[in-house]
Amino acid sequence: KSEHYELKQARVWGCPVYVLDAALQDGKKLPKWQPRSRRGVFLGVSADHASNVGLVMNLNTKHISPQYHLIYDELFLTVPSNSEIAPPCWKDLFKKHRVQVRFDFVLDDEWKLPSEG
C-alpha cells in the first residue's frame, strides 16, 4: 500500500456533504419534485467500514452514521455567507495555529526561487 493513498482519500473535516436518498441508493425511484439528497456534515472516515465510507452528521437529528453515497463540498461553495467581512478573530487563528509540513524530497533547481540558490 502506498504512503500517499491516505492523502488521496483525505477530505476536509467539517465540510458539507450531500447524502443520496436511501430509496435511490436501493435503486428505487422518487417522485419528480422530492429532494434527491440531504445535507450533512463530514466528521471523518468510518473505522468499521471501507476507507471511502464517511461519517456524516445529520443536521436535523444530530445523529452520526456511516454513509457511502456522498458528494463532498470541500470548498464550502454551497454554504451561504452573510457578510463580506471576515470575523475579528480570523487573523488570530492563523497567527497562533500553524502547521509545518516536511517533504522528503529535494526540488530540482528549475523549481527553486533565485534567492534559494
Side-chain angles (χ1 to χ4, degrees), residues 29-43:
K29 293 190 177 200
L30 291 177
K32 188 173 186 176
W33 299 110
Q34 187 170 339
R36 304 287 194 241
S37 64
R38 64 173 170 80
R39 186 163 57 181
V41 177
F42 176 69
L43 298 178

Side-chain angles (χ1 to χ4, degrees), residues 1-10 102-105:
K1 201 174 188 181
S2 170
E3 293 177 16
H4 303 291
Y5 178 76
E6 288 82 15
L7 290 176
K8 290 179 183 177
Q9 297 295 333
R102 296 189 186 272
F103 295 103
D104 59 350
F105 58 89

Side-chain angles (χ1 to χ4, degrees), residues 17-108:
V17 293
Y18 293 87
V19 182
L20 188 64
D21 187 277
L24 291 173
Q25 290 180 26
D26 293 338
K28 299 175 184 169
K29 293 190 177 200
L30 291 177
K32 188 173 186 176
W33 299 110
Q34 187 170 339
R36 304 287 194 241
S37 64
R38 64 173 170 80
R39 186 163 57 181
V41 177
F42 176 69
L43 298 178
V45 179
S46 173
D48 299 328
H49 300 86
S51 62
N52 59 349
V53 175
L55 292 174
V56 177
M57 181 177 69
N58 184 319
L59 296 176
N60 296 326
T61 65
K62 307 300 185 223
H63 177 74
I64 299 170
S65 63
Q67 299 290 328
Y68 178 75
H69 299 279
L70 298 174
I71 300 293
Y72 298 86
D73 177 18
E74 295 178 294
L75 299 177
F76 293 81
L77 297 174
T78 60
V79 179
S81 173
N82 301 12
S83 173
E84 294 293 324
I85 301 169
C89 64
W90 192 255
K91 289 182 182 179
D92 292 335
L93 290 173
F94 291 102
K95 284 181 186 174
K96 297 177 184 175
H97 302 287
R98 295 180 185 215
V99 176
Q100 183 176 5
V101 179
R102 296 189 186 272
F103 295 103
D104 59 350
F105 58 89
V106 178
L107 288 175
D108 292 335

